[in-house]
Amino acid sequence: MRNESVGRLSYSSHYNRVTNSRERDFASKRSGHLDNCLVIDENRLKTILHRLLRDEDRERQASLIRQLRVIFEHSENYKVIQSNREEIISTFEDFIQLGLNSELKQEFISAVGTLGAILGLKAKSLLDWEFAVISMSKSDDIRILILKTVLEMLKIDAEKRSLAEHVPFVMARLQSALEVADVPELLIAIVNVIFEISNGYPTVFSKHFSDTVDILIGWHIDATQQQSVIEFTSNALIGFQQFWISDINFTATLLGQFLEDMESYAEELAQSKLNSSGSVESQPCSPEENVAKIKSLIRVLITVLKSIEDLIVPDESGPISWGFVVQMLKSFLKYIKITMEYHYYCDLMTSANECLDLLLKLAQLHSKDALDELMSFIDLLQEKNSSLLSESHLVSILRMMIRFVKTVGTYLPVKFVTKLFSPTSLSRQLRLSPSSKIQKLLIELYHIVLAVKNVQIVEEFYKCIMVDIVDAHNALLKSSEENSVRFYYSEVSLLLSICALVEIGNIKHSLIRMFALKPSFFDLMIIQLKPTSPELAKRFPALQSAILYTLYSHCQRHSHFVNSSALVNPNAASGSPVSTSGNTSPIMTDVPPTSPSSGNLEKVIKLLIDLLDGPHNSYDSRLLAAKWAVEILENVQRHLVRLISNTCFEDLLGA
């Protein structure tokens, strides 16, 4: 038994050794690692090169290329490689004419890239050959393949930087290739190498930055190019971010040129509209061509602005001053309005809104110096019919308006708020939009407006939205046609308004603390909206829940008004407000009552009793009421002696 066991073990071990040996041999052949072949002599190298051209089997060719790459990687072979580099290059030149498949191309790129990195200072002849192919080959496929080998070479050498001496030569030849590139695929291959140099050798690239940008912008504004090419050039230009900043004079000049060109095309567009005969023969371009060019200029303007955003602060002593940026803002608005008067192109205006967003961000508070122009532009947008505009365009409008409010801050005109709620305004129409993205942005816009530290703005907003809430609430309760458009509009309008007022209900804004809104948010929710109304509970349970959760959140934020309540603190009884500034606003008073929330806890307790006892209230509403009541009990623990004898509190415990 023992001998048999040993025999089996021996057989098993032998089988495993054979199997593992075969697996290792197969793996080494696939990877190009052949035992005892890492260090080679001249004859062995020439044999591999010869077989590479004569063998027609793609798998064996791929294996031979991998062997060459492994050979190139080992420093022991440097002398052999160096002395045979001309033959290696000659072999590669013949090899690329064979029509390579994707696997062979990738292996070739890796091998040539490794060779160049290993040669380092001695790589000049290899680079000469590569750029000779790039400039002279009639095959774009071969030119792109060689450009990828140059890129691979630079990537492999990124850490050692042994090719540093040759990089200026490489960059100069790439610049020449870029100037004559006539197909997008070739452009992309060249720019990928340039981008690698810009990251690894910024000093070298900086001398070619402006020339490179000029060429890329030419591709960027070419309306005949596919969107993928335009996006590539845009991303490439943005990727040169540090150079836009370091060569700020060039950047400023370019921005000015874009606006000058836009002015020229806009004026031609305006002139074509005035031409009563309808003939445009006297114009250099047709109106459609001018619109296409304006659109392209807006796109490239967006690209440059994205390249410098967050990295530049306008400086009065520099080429990009606050005055320069404000003038850009004004000029841009002027030319876009001319285009709008000719025709309202949604795609162009979507780009215009994105560009305006970036200009506002750059101008910051100085945007107020273009306030009249901005308001005029926004008023034109507010006149549009939302049903005729795409979602992406509507999103761009809302984002731009949000940026506008953030930027101008306390200089925001009251009429902007009034227009926001105007029955015919675009922003009012968007309340009915089925898009969750638009609804989210609309709420964000409301909240941004409420965050403005300006009494008149908050007052106007609250007045407008309060009217909306009351009107929508009354319309719902009086409506007998639950499937009507008016019914749907009223419900959506009320829900949106309640969401908007969360800013007032939950955020203790410094301005709102200083001035008491009339009616208060609490009174508006609990008294005017009557959340325990049987009619509301029966017909609109979802709306009732929304009102209750909003009110609950507000109360929770203020610890359920326990500390200020007259139930636990008789001295908190409210007095009469006396104004010290003469403010007689019906919405705000600048001196709140001594204890403006002294009765809130009692009102909440009565609300909870009605919710728990009411036969028409939904399960969710009752559950919220129970949770709410428990939180109040936890907050009044130290006041139980005083509350236990209160009838209202006893009724809550009974409910």
Side-chain angles (χ1 to χ4, degrees), residues 337-380:
K337 284 178 67 177
I338 292 174
T339 309
M340 290 172 68
E341 289 168 2
Y342 177 79
H343 187 75
Y344 194 90
Y345 297 92
C346 267
D347 54 347
L348 184 148
M349 291 306 300
T350 300
S351 297
N353 289 328
E354 182 183 357
C355 188
L356 190 54
D357 184 299
L358 292 166
L359 283 170
L360 286 166
K361 185 178 180 181
L362 183 61
Q364 300 179 32
L365 186 59
H366 292 267
S367 301
K368 66 181 175 56
D369 296 332
L371 196 57
D372 291 341
E373 291 85 353
L374 286 162
M375 282 302 301
S376 176
F377 177 73
I378 291 172
D379 285 345
L380 288 174

Side-chain angles (χ1 to χ4, degrees), residues 434-502:
S435 167
S436 59
K437 185 182 292 186
I438 288 175
Q439 292 293 334
K440 183 179 179 181
L441 286 170
L442 194 57
I443 289 293
E444 184 181 350
L445 177 60
Y446 287 166
H447 286 179
I448 292 295
V449 172
L450 271 173
V452 175
K453 297 180 180 180
N454 182 304
V455 175
Q456 286 75 29
I457 294 298
V458 176
E459 180 181 20
E460 181 69 11
F461 185 95
Y462 193 65
K463 180 184 74 176
C464 292
I465 207 164
M466 186 175 64
V467 170
D468 271 2
I469 287 175
V470 173
D471 287 350
H473 183 264
N474 292 338
L476 279 176
L477 295 182
K478 293 177 182 177
S479 175
S480 58
E481 301 178 15
E482 297 192 7
N483 293 322
S484 67
V485 174
R486 179 174 174 78
F487 178 89
Y488 171 74
Y489 176 79
S490 298
E491 186 172 20
V492 171
S493 179
L494 184 54
L495 284 169
L496 192 69
S497 298
I498 290 171
C499 290
L501 283 181
V502 168

